Amino acid sequence: MADWGVIGHTWAVELLKRSLAGGRVRHAYLFTGPAGVGKRTLALAFARALNCTDVDRPCGHCRACTLIGNGDGDKGPHHPDVRLVEPVESGERIQRFEIRIDQVRDLQHDLALTPVEGRYRVAILRRFEAANPNAANALLKTLEEPPAHVVLVLTAVQADVLLPTIVSRCQVLNLRPLPLVAVRAALLARGVPADRADYLAHLSGGRLGWALQAVHDGELLARRSQYLDDLRRLLGASRTARFDYAEGLARDMGALREALEAWLSWWRDLLLVTTDTPAPLSNTDRAEELHALAARLTPAQARRAVAALRDAAWHLDRNANPRLLAEVLLLDLPRC
Ligand SMILES: [Zn+2]
């Protein structure tokens, strides 16, 4: 059997394999799940399977498979029939990333042509929740009347952040986080030392893509530590200090997203400790700090903080004003 090079998500791979084998490939798919869970990896594997020239698809070594690649090292596909569309930076004072209408128009121009060398023209539109309304409406035209040789793969954190008219025209595959042992095993197989693999598997929350990024990008963990140190300090700081920090953080959407993610996992751990829940902590390197702080917090306070962070992440995915969102969040967190 062909190896899709996808770790976990077996049911999704099987479903796509069956649709290929049965000649029932849909025109549009939507892969949902948290950042780093494997949506792009699965989309690229599907693109290889669609355009591989071998019998056992995807073979992984024909010209099509090689040109499409697996996204390792953040290399995009180089196949003339496979396009990757991602949000681009826009906005003046506040940094934002969005998919714009000119990107969709440009893509549609390509999709109208017959494939150059593959069977299908495949377009992978990443983080489609970041599409602005004009871009989303433009894409709807293609979803309503797709050319015969076109397969669209959209990715998003959740289906309900997109227009219902878009979701209803896609086959939705929701990718769940992997078991931590699967992330650990995949890291070990890539030569990551055991204690490091353990630590990253816990921090990843089952998102292998995130764990691999952390292996390759030392800055990712350093930034994460900094956000947690900042949070710890802010919990004892004045309203003015929290306000100033929020303003600074909101200038960079990527930073805000990373900070929210780190803080949520830290508060989830605090909730586990305050409620004496016998579950493993994610932030194993901060166990001492978490226990010390939990002694001064009530479970209700920890629960409220987790809810506030989830709420903030939810709104950020829906293009809420980042500055307002960061201010409200930081002023809401308890003082301790
Ligand atoms: Zn191949």
Side-chain angles (χ1 to χ4, degrees):
M1 277 305 271
D3 179 9
W4 280 47
V6 174
I7 291 168
H9 314 307
T10 317
W11 68 272
V13 172
E14 289 306 319
L15 186 148
L16 294 172
K17 272 184 187 170
R18 281 198 302 276
S19 59
L20 269 170
R24 295 185 314 269
V25 174
R26 300 268 302 247
H27 283 298
Y29 294 83
L30 169 62
F31 297 170
T32 59
V37 82
K39 302 183 294 292
R40 181 181 61 155
T41 303
L42 181 63
L44 287 169
F46 187 40
R48 291 198 302 278
L50 285 166
N51 277 331
C52 175
T53 53
D54 208 322
V55 184
D56 202 12
R57 304 189 270 155
C59 70
H61 41 73
C62 70
R63 177 181 153 80
C65 284
T66 311
L67 287 178
I68 294 166
N70 57 14
D72 257 8
D74 256 355
K75 285 201 298 276
H78 298 291
H79 191 286
D81 298 317
V82 179
R83 283 275 306 268
L84 183 67
V85 178
E86 298 184 280
V88 291
E89 193 174 341
S90 67
E92 299 78 36
R93 282 194 316 120
I94 291 172
Q95 189 195 26
R96 270 176 185 283
F97 283 87
E98 58 178 15
I99 293 178
R100 293 168 13 186
I101 190 162
D102 50 311
Q103 291 174 279
V104 173
R105 292 255 159 82
D106 186 41
L107 176 71
Q108 284 169 327
H109 177 78
D110 266 19
L111 295 179
L113 309 169
T114 52
V116 178
E117 55 181 74
R119 281 182 209 87
Y120 294 96
R121 283 204 179 255
V122 183
I124 301 167
L125 295 111
R126 286 187 80 196
R127 292 193 43 215
F128 201 71
E129 67 269 20
N132 69 34
N134 290 339
N137 278 314
L139 189 77
L140 201 50
K141 302 265 185 331
T142 303
L143 288 167
E144 281 164 352
E145 291 169 36
H149 54 265
V150 164
V151 176
L152 297 174
V153 181
L154 279 58
T155 76
V157 280
Q158 278 170 281
D160 68 1
V161 297
L162 306 183
L163 293 174
T165 41
I166 286 191
V167 179
S168 67
R169 286 176 173 82
C170 297
Q171 177 159 22
V172 183
L173 276 65
N174 181 32
L175 305 189
R176 311 274 311 156
L178 304 183
L180 300 193
V181 287
V183 175
R184 184 175 181 277
L187 294 175
L188 289 176
R190 283 170 167 78
V192 177
D195 55 343
R196 187 84 180 151
D198 255 346
Y199 170 60
L200 290 178
H202 276 100
L203 272 190
S204 77
R207 297 165 304 143
L208 178 57
W210 185 90
L212 289 172
Q213 199 191 337
V215 168
H216 298 300
D217 175 9
E219 292 293 303
L220 183 69
L221 289 182
R223 285 198 302 272
R224 183 191 163 83
S225 277
Q226 185 61 55
Y227 293 134
L228 293 181
D229 292 344
D230 292 348
L231 175 63
R232 184 66 201 89
R233 178 175 51 77
L234 288 168
L235 293 180
S238 66
R239 288 175 65 89
T240 320
R242 293 181 182 207
F243 204 77
D244 289 347
Y245 186 88
E247 201 182 346
L249 185 62
R251 287 202 194 98
D252 180 344
M253 282 290 273
L256 178 56
R257 211 173 278 277
E258 279 187 6
L260 288 184
E261 203 176 272
W263 293 349
L264 178 57
S265 106
W266 193 81
W267 275 101
R268 259 202 227 110
D269 279 352
L270 269 177
L271 182 58
L272 292 179
V273 181
T274 53
T275 52
D276 285 324
T277 308
L281 299 180
S282 294
N283 298 272
T284 48
D285 55 335
R286 290 191 176 246
E288 209 174 308
E289 172 189 84
L290 289 164
H291 279 96
L293 194 60
R296 312 211 306 263
L297 280 170
T298 65
Q301 283 176 308
R303 207 167 279 125
R304 266 202 302 278
V306 168
L309 277 155
R310 285 219 178 96
D311 200 47
W314 191 90
H315 281 103
L316 193 63
D317 286 336
R318 284 156 184 82
N319 272 335
N321 179 328
R323 181 169 157 179
L324 195 61
L325 180 148
E327 285 169 3
V328 169
L329 172 71
L330 281 173
L331 294 181
D332 261 4
L333 292 177
R335 205 181 146 75
C336 53

